[in-house]
Amino acid sequence: TLGSVRYEHFLIFCLAFQSHLIQYVGLSHHLIALNFIIVSFGRKSAWSSPNVQITDTEFDGVEVRVFEGFPKAKEPLKSGVIYIHGGGWALASARISYYDELCSTMAEELNAVIVSVEYRLVPRVHFPEQLYDLERAAKYFLQPQVLERYSVDPARIAISGDSAGGNLAAALGQQFSKDDTFRNKIKLQALVYPVLQALDFNTPSYQQNVNSPILPRLVMVRYWIDYLRGNQDFVQAMVVNNHTALDVEQATALRARLNWLSLLPVSITKDYKPVVQTVGNAQIVQELPQLLDARSAPLIADQEVLQNLPKTYILTCEHDVLRDDGIMYVKRLENAGVDVTHDHFEDAFHGCMIFTSWPTNFSVGVRTRDSYIKWLKQNL
């Protein structure tokens, strides 16, 4: 109805205000205060329900919130999901209501144990410390005695995350794929509108959604720079791809892995043109070599790494600068022989999957969440 449409538009406006505040005042000196507001107003205590037991604890020194679905007679061992929240590596928490409600629903619907990791954030730490937190927590959980304590089937474990959490989940999956001890311990990976690269901020989806609510392009670039502990003076140069110009030799070998003219279908590329500068700013990559590190940008990983990854689910949204990151990863994984399910929503926007309850309850949020959980239920 017209009333519900206006209501949803109003909520989008409110949610977008935070992103535009970041866009115009910058990130570095405001992240702690901004996240304090987000967490203070959104924090939810570890209250168990009749169907899900919730506990705050630590795994090898890393804070986690554990959601345990109650065992079923026909399924004494539960599946397990290591979940990584989004927020630009700088915001949000496993303990805010959005992620608490998502993980509670997952635990109940999947008869699973969900380990939601409270990894450290920018500006307290920067890349790769977030990934180290996740590796420690995941390796602790995957110990046989820990899985037995939580009644988890060691053959039915997934890693998953949304947005920056999807980035970290993809990076964690790649790290485990190179480790003989952990390569076969992850059955699935499920990535929800993941951010996967920082070499091209002019993919069709970045061009199409440059000023979209929730996550404008300029905000995403600022998140990247702060994650990699860079200089915010680089923002404008990176927006026009000066950091990967033709004269930036360090980026030459990786450019083919992001050739969206070959990785994206014509229905996506449309009339958009690649933005490739002839002369750029080599100083950016010299000061931020992490831009070329697959641990920060999983989309640029070697084919040999990708071919060892587990069965994968990737959800993308049409109204999202990160849409093409996900679609290109789908194509690269398929080319590497990985079994991939691509779940695209034409009416969805970045971040929508956690907006499922009042006052930010969107129908597309419920539909994306249900589709994601359905895939996990069928495959985990």
Side-chain angles (χ1 to χ4, degrees), residues 84-141:
I84 309 165
H85 72 79
W89 307 284
L91 302 173
S93 165
R95 296 168 182 161
I96 62 174
S97 59
Y98 290 122
Y99 288 108
D100 185 275
E101 291 169 9
L102 171 64
C103 292
S104 291
T105 302
M106 291 168 63
E108 183 175 356
E109 292 288 328
L110 299 173
N111 183 31
V113 172
I114 314 298
V115 177
S116 188
V117 186
E118 186 76 341
Y119 58 94
R120 292 170 296 163
L121 302 173
V122 172
R124 181 183 172 192
V125 298
H126 302 265
F127 171 84
E129 293 299 322
Q130 286 85 348
L131 187 56
Y132 293 160
D133 284 357
L134 293 163
E135 287 181 347
R136 291 205 312 275
K139 288 179 178 179
Y140 180 92
F141 180 60

Side-chain angles (χ1 to χ4, degrees), residues 7-8 11 15 97-106 193 349 351-373:
Y7 172 66
E8 292 201 352
L11 290 179
L15 293 166
S97 59
Y98 290 122
Y99 288 108
D100 185 275
E101 291 169 9
L102 171 64
C103 292
S104 291
T105 302
M106 291 168 63
Y193 33 79
F349 56 91
C352 65
M353 194 180 77
I354 62 173
F355 299 139
T356 58
S357 59
W358 190 91
T360 53
N361 50 320
F362 295 94
S363 61
V364 72
V366 175
R367 284 186 283 114
T368 50
R369 181 200 64 191
D370 290 351
S371 185
Y372 161 73
I373 291 177

Side-chain angles (χ1 to χ4, degrees), residues 208-356:
Q208 173 183 300
N209 300 293
V210 60
N211 291 315
S212 66
I214 310 299
L215 189 62
R217 175 172 63 182
L218 194 60
V219 170
M220 191 65 248
V221 177
R222 290 188 182 278
Y223 277 137
W224 267 111
I225 292 174
D226 264 21
Y227 180 45
L228 303 180
R229 205 169 194 170
N231 188 333
Q232 289 289 335
D233 291 343
F234 291 151
V235 168
Q236 294 303 326
M238 292 175 65
V239 162
V240 297
N241 289 349
N242 276 349
H243 59 308
T244 54
L246 295 177
D247 66 335
V248 181
E249 296 180 3
Q250 301 95 317
T252 301
L254 301 175
R255 205 172 283 116
R257 301 179 187 182
L258 294 175
N259 181 6
W260 51 260
L261 288 175
S262 63
L263 292 172
L264 298 176
V266 175
S267 60
I268 293 291
T269 59
K270 298 178 182 176
D271 294 326
Y272 292 108
K273 305 297 182 185
V275 176
V276 181
Q277 307 294 346
T278 303
V279 178
N281 184 350
Q283 180 187 357
I284 298 174
V285 172
Q286 290 169 1
E287 292 192 18
L288 294 176
Q290 310 96 306
L291 287 165
L292 310 180
D293 189 330
R295 293 177 303 163
S296 76
L299 182 55
I300 64 175
D302 293 338
Q303 185 88 345
E304 293 74 19
V305 174
L306 300 183
Q307 66 188 16
N308 289 319
L309 289 173
K311 191 172 187 178
T312 300
Y313 169 93
I314 297 178
L315 186 150
T316 57
C317 304
E318 181 65 21
H319 307 289
D320 183 6
V321 293
L322 303 179
R323 178 197 66 190
D324 296 345
D325 283 23
I327 297 176
M328 286 191 286
Y329 202 41
V330 168
K331 187 63 174 178
R332 287 211 66 209
L333 290 175
E334 288 177 343
N335 291 343
V338 177
D339 186 351
V340 186
T341 297
H342 179 209
D343 202 3
H344 183 68
F345 287 79
E346 287 286 340
D347 60 341
F349 56 91
H350 187 81
C352 65
M353 194 180 77
I354 62 173
F355 299 139
T356 58

Side-chain angles (χ1 to χ4, degrees), residues 55-105:
T55 308
D56 286 335
T57 185
E58 290 188 0
F59 284 0
D60 191 18
V62 179
E63 296 180 7
V64 296
R65 176 164 286 190
V66 181
F67 302 78
E68 299 176 69
F70 287 103
K72 298 177 181 179
K74 296 181 180 180
E75 196 176 352
L77 289 180
K78 292 169 278 193
S79 58
V81 180
I82 300 165
Y83 194 85
I84 309 165
H85 72 79
W89 307 284
L91 302 173
S93 165
R95 296 168 182 161
I96 62 174
S97 59
Y98 290 122
Y99 288 108
D100 185 275
E101 291 169 9
L102 171 64
C103 292
S104 291
T105 302

Side-chain angles (χ1 to χ4, degrees), residues 143-192:
Q143 294 178 102
Q145 65 270 27
V146 177
L147 295 177
E148 183 178 1
R149 184 199 318 161
Y150 286 103
S151 300
V152 171
D153 184 347
R156 298 170 58 220
I157 297 171
I159 53 176
S160 183
D162 65 294
S163 193
N167 167 281
L168 292 165
L172 182 64
Q174 291 182 7
Q175 292 300 106
F176 279 180
S177 76
K178 295 182 287 186
D179 187 327
D180 291 339
T181 303
F182 293 94
R183 178 177 298 169
N184 298 316
K185 292 192 175 183
I186 302 298
K187 182 179 182 181
L188 308 171
Q189 63 173 350
L191 314 176
V192 179

